[in-house]
Amino acid sequence: MNNFCTLFDSNFLLYGLALHESLQKYCKKFHLYIFAFDDECYNTLTKLHLADVTVISLAEFEDQQLLAIKPSRTRGEYCWTCSSSTILYCLKKFNLPVCTYLDADLYFYSDPSILIDEIKNNDVLITEHRYTKKYDLSATSGIYCVQFMTFKSTENGLKILNWWRDACLEWCYNRFEDGKFGDQKYLDDWTTRFTGIHVLKHLGGGVAPWNLQQYKLRPNHQMSEITTGKHFNLIFFHFHDIKIINNIIQNNRLLFYDKSYQFLESLYIPYIKTMNVIKDNFNLKTFRLKVPYL
């Protein structure tokens, strides 16, 4: 059984539902814990009765420490602040041996178990941005991406997770300052600061706009690394910076990245169409999505 957690509000509802759908397609046994970050999101999710899902409200989740710093963070910064706390909540509240945090804008194309299994005897799994050199923001945004992270409920795993939570409670803002950025730059030195850290090796996990230039997408979501020609399955794609503005799907940065347009027909448009189908199936009348590239 793979245990996952994610967090999102009503603005990201369709992304979260698409994430859930992809897990249903490709993950044989899983449970997804969804932290609903506003009442509209919580009410909608509870009415949908999604399979293999537990919906958690802010009223259930927020503790005094989170509530104390909440007024000092923007909506986005507060979500970043809470990422570590959602994992900790799941491990403790539901007595889970292991839990994997997922960003809501991920979509799976193969079973993620192959990624989680890499952790083996380690306690924490983290993923690199693997930036293409031209777009390398490691210095300001971090070497690692808080998109797919696995924590075991071991003494060492909980020590690392609590250290991260405490750091985010103290400082977590959408700016680069004193070597920090959001919840993400804290991960930069984990491989030397802590023991039991595993950095994901599978190249099919963590494909994103900032690194897709390094890959060639083949039929049926097979990929190969351009420099080595190594073949592998695409496990998940991170649909970063896709926004719904005035009910129209937009990604103004899509063409900012070299070769991203080549992935438009094979990944981006099917993803948007998937969200449209979900919208219709669940009768989510709030959204009227269009694909401006067609």
Side-chain angles (χ1 to χ4, degrees), residues 143-165:
I143 299 169
Y144 305 100
C145 185
V146 180
Q147 58 182 347
F148 185 103
M149 299 178 66
T150 300
F151 284 83
K152 289 182 181 177
S153 187
T154 58
E155 181 180 356
N156 189 48
L158 292 173
K159 180 187 78 171
I160 297 167
L161 184 53
N162 277 294
W163 180 94
W164 187 30
R165 169 181 150 92

Side-chain angles (χ1 to χ4, degrees), residues 80-89 161 164-166 168:
W80 290 353
T81 300
C82 289
S83 54
S84 53
S85 294
T86 61
I87 307 165
L88 187 62
Y89 183 94
L161 184 53
W164 187 30
R165 169 181 150 92
D166 290 342
C168 290

Side-chain angles (χ1 to χ4, degrees), residues 87-140:
I87 307 165
L88 187 62
Y89 183 94
C90 288
L91 291 175
K92 290 188 172 182
K93 174 72 175 180
F94 304 106
N95 196 29
L96 304 180
V98 61
C99 186
T100 299
Y101 170 83
L102 307 173
D103 272 353
D105 53 358
L106 305 186
Y107 194 88
F108 288 93
Y109 297 90
S110 300
D111 190 345
S113 299
I114 192 172
L115 307 182
I116 298 169
D117 289 347
E118 278 194 26
I119 198 170
K120 294 184 179 178
N121 294 324
N122 293 295
D123 302 292
V124 177
L125 180 148
I126 57 179
T127 59
E128 293 177 281
H129 277 106
R130 292 200 301 268
Y131 286 113
T132 297
K133 186 176 181 180
K134 181 177 180 180
Y135 307 112
D136 191 352
L137 296 177
S138 300
T140 53

Side-chain angles (χ1 to χ4, degrees), residues 230-242:
K230 180 181 178 181
H231 295 272
F232 50 89
N233 288 334
L234 172 61
I235 308 298
F236 73 82
F237 191 85
H238 191 163
F239 286 95
H240 174 72
D241 211 27
I242 289 183

Side-chain angles (χ1 to χ4, degrees), residues 34-282:
I34 300 178
F35 291 79
F37 264 53
D38 59 33
D39 290 340
E40 180 183 353
C41 182
Y42 178 78
N43 292 335
T44 301
L45 288 171
T46 52
K47 290 176 183 177
L48 295 180
H49 301 292
L50 300 172
D52 306 308
V53 164
T54 296
V55 184
I56 302 159
S57 68
L58 283 179
E60 298 172 83
F61 161 66
E62 289 176 313
D63 59 22
Q64 291 304 311
Q65 289 175 288
L66 288 170
L67 290 171
I69 59 88
K70 189 174 183 178
S72 69
R73 312 283 158 92
T74 66
R75 193 180 186 98
E77 289 168 346
Y78 187 61
C79 288
W80 290 353
T81 300
C82 289
S83 54
S84 53
S85 294
T86 61
I87 307 165
L88 187 62
Y89 183 94
C90 288
L91 291 175
K92 290 188 172 182
K93 174 72 175 180
F94 304 106
N95 196 29
L96 304 180
V98 61
C99 186
T100 299
Y101 170 83
L102 307 173
D103 272 353
D105 53 358
L106 305 186
Y107 194 88
F108 288 93
Y109 297 90
S110 300
D111 190 345
S113 299
I114 192 172
L115 307 182
I116 298 169
D117 289 347
E118 278 194 26
I119 198 170
K120 294 184 179 178
N121 294 324
N122 293 295
D123 302 292
V124 177
L125 180 148
I126 57 179
T127 59
E128 293 177 281
H129 277 106
R130 292 200 301 268
Y131 286 113
T132 297
K133 186 176 181 180
K134 181 177 180 180
Y135 307 112
D136 191 352
L137 296 177
S138 300
T140 53
S141 294
I143 299 169
Y144 305 100
C145 185
V146 180
Q147 58 182 347
F148 185 103
M149 299 178 66
T150 300
F151 284 83
K152 289 182 181 177
S153 187
T154 58
E155 181 180 356
N156 189 48
L158 292 173
K159 180 187 78 171
I160 297 167
L161 184 53
N162 277 294
W163 180 94
W164 187 30
R165 169 181 150 92
D166 290 342
C168 290
L169 286 169
E170 181 177 344
W171 192 101
C172 187
Y173 298 97
N174 186 15
R175 62 177 183 266
F176 178 73
E177 181 180 301
D178 297 329
K180 302 186 291 288
F181 175 77
D183 57 346
Q184 206 155 254
K185 282 288 286 180
Y186 290 120
L187 280 59
D188 276 8
D189 68 352
W190 279 16
T191 56
T192 54
R193 178 185 291 269
F194 302 114
T195 59
I197 302 291
H198 175 76
V199 180
L200 184 71
K201 295 180 180 179
H202 197 298
L203 295 177
V207 183
W210 51 78
N211 62 34
L212 56 77
Q213 303 76 25
Q214 302 167 44
Y215 309 112
K216 181 180 291 185
L217 187 63
R218 300 179 180 276
N220 299 319
H221 300 110
Q222 295 286 312
M223 301 192 75
S224 62
E225 191 178 18
I226 291 174
T227 54
T228 65
K230 180 181 178 181
H231 295 272
F232 50 89
N233 288 334
L234 172 61
I235 308 298
F236 73 82
F237 191 85
H238 191 163
F239 286 95
H240 174 72
D241 211 27
I242 289 183
K243 294 179 173 63
I244 301 173
I245 302 174
N246 296 326
N247 294 324
I248 297 178
I249 286 282
Q250 298 184 16
N251 187 332
N252 295 329
R253 291 179 61 82
L254 178 63
L255 301 184
F256 170 80
Y257 297 101
D258 288 345
K259 298 187 178 179
S260 59
Y261 197 83
Q262 296 175 21
F263 285 72
L264 180 63
E265 193 169 324
S266 53
L267 292 180
Y268 281 89
I269 289 177
Y271 178 66
I272 293 167
K273 288 181 176 179
T274 293
M275 288 200 287
N276 269 317
V277 171
I278 290 170
K279 170 188 68 66
D280 292 338
N281 287 345
F282 290 131

